[in-house]
């Protein structure tokens, strides 16, 4: 077990003034002495002049290039919860170009808060190798039930996914899809702040060979497709079946079964898969989310390869006859 802990969602409401006073006093005394006194022994003074215009230019240009470079991607993932992150990680490691859009400022979805803000998660045996791939520490609680610190788990998933090559666009919401008569071919984006403020601002669009709805309980992309794109979903009723009440065991199995293509060009993963196909919720056990992310990555790699094969000229490697 780790010998330190992070408690998120808690505020320190009592500060012992006696304890902080000596520190405050020391800082103030340093300020009135010469500037050299602030430096500790061996520390070098930062003599670089800092120009705010360069800071702004660096951020604008770097973000502009990131955005321009992702107007066409192999897979657009909607939602940065555990399922979307794990999917992105395995796809990027296989060399695919992936953009992940997250509505909120922080990526991570529902994993930060563990169960009811008790920041521990439970993961079953079958998904431990995914935690190991990422380097998340875990320990057995009972036979088959393992726990991990939810802050360590999600922060590690986020960091490894970005390092694997996934470009994460946070504060951006997917509000619609790009459609052609027979399939979904991309996503329509707007700043989350535009949505929150209710501003009348037109969106921008990105082409994607495939889209993954990893938006969690809300199934936002599937809802758009159901309401606005002609055709039927690959569900029993042709519509969203809707999430059912909690049944952890059944839900964990079904999450994996329900991870698949629900409309040409659109896959579902994580809780969105269960809500689309009518599975129950599972609560704070996260193995299904991790396994679903990996499964959708495998399905997409196969689909991307099949698409590339179809695009190749069918001449069996022979030189074309003239
Ligand atoms: O909800 P979320 O964590 O989905 P998940 O990966 O995992 C589900 C579990 O957290 C938990 C559970 C497991 O035991 O039941 O709920 O399936 O992450 C979904 C993310 O998608 C973002 C949302 O802010 C959240 O971070 N999101 C939702 N709609 C959009 C979106 C959208 N239209 N555009 C961009 N991001």
């Amino acid at each position: 077990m780790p010998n330190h802990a992070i408690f998120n969602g808690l505020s320190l409401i009592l500060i012992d003034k006696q304890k902080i006073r000596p520190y405050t006093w020391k800082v103030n005394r340093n300020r009135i002495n010469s500037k050299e006194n602030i430096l500790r022994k061996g520390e070098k003074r930062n003599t670089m002049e800092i120009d705010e215009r360069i800071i702004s230019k660096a951020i604008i240009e770097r973000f502009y290039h990131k955005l321009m470079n992702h107007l066409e991607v192999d897979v657009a993932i909607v939602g940065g919860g555990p399922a979307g992150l794990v999917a992105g990680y395995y796809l990027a490691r296989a060399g695919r170009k992936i953009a992940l859009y997250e509505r909120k400022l922080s990526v991570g979805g529902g994993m930060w808060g563990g169960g009811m803000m008790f920041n521990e998660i439970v993961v079953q045996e079958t998904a431990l190798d995914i935690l190991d791939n990422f380097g998340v520490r875990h320990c057995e609680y009972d036979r088959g039930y393992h726990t991990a610190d939810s802050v360590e788990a999600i922060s590690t998933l986020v960091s490894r996914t970005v390092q694997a090559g996934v470009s994460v666009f946070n504060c951006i919401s997917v509000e619609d899809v790009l459609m052609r008569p027979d399939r979904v071919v991309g996503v329509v984006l707007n700043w989350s702040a535009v949505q929150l403020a209710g501003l009348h601002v037109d969106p921008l669009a990105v082409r994607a060979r495939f889209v993954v709805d990893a938006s969690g309980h809300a199934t936002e992309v599937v809802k758009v497709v159901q309401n606005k794109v002609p055709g039927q979903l690959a569900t029993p009723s042709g519509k969203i079946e809707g999430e059912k009440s909690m049944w952890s065991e059944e839900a964990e199995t079904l999450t994996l079964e329900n991870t698949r293509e629900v409309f040409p060009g659109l896959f579902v993963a994580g809780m969105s898969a269960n809500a689309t196909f009518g599975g129950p919720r599972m609560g704070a056990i996260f193995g299904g989310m991790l396994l679903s992310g990996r499964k959708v990555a495998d399905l997409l790699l196969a689909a991307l390869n099949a698409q590339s094969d179809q695009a190749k000229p069918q001449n069996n490697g022979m030189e074309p006859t003239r």
Side-chain angles (χ1 to χ4, degrees), residues 4-22:
H4 55 271
I6 294 176
F7 297 96
N8 53 339
L10 293 181
S11 305
L12 192 62
I13 51 169
L14 283 177
I15 295 174
D16 184 340
K17 287 196 177 136
Q18 295 306 318
K19 279 192 183 148
I20 61 169
R21 200 169 291 140

Side-chain angles (χ1 to χ4, degrees), residues 77-86 100-112 114 121-122 154 169 171-176 188-190 192 195 213-221 224 243 246 252 255 269-273 280-290 292:
I77 299 175
V78 184
L85 289 167
V86 170
L100 185 152
Y101 303 98
E102 169 53 53
R103 162 172 297 146
K104 294 189 179 148
L105 180 59
S106 63
V107 187
M111 203 185 238
W112 293 104
I121 54 165
V122 172
I154 196 61
F169 294 91
C171 304
I172 291 184
S173 294
V174 170
E175 62 168 48
D176 205 342
V188 174
L189 311 172
N190 218 328
S192 304
Q195 288 190 341
D213 184 334
S215 68
H217 297 263
T219 57
E220 293 206 11
V221 187
V224 165
E243 177 188 308
M246 195 185 286
E252 286 293 282
T255 307
M271 201 51 225
S272 166
R281 66 188 304 186
M282 70 290 295
I285 182 158
F286 280 81
M289 297 300 119
L290 305 174
S292 168

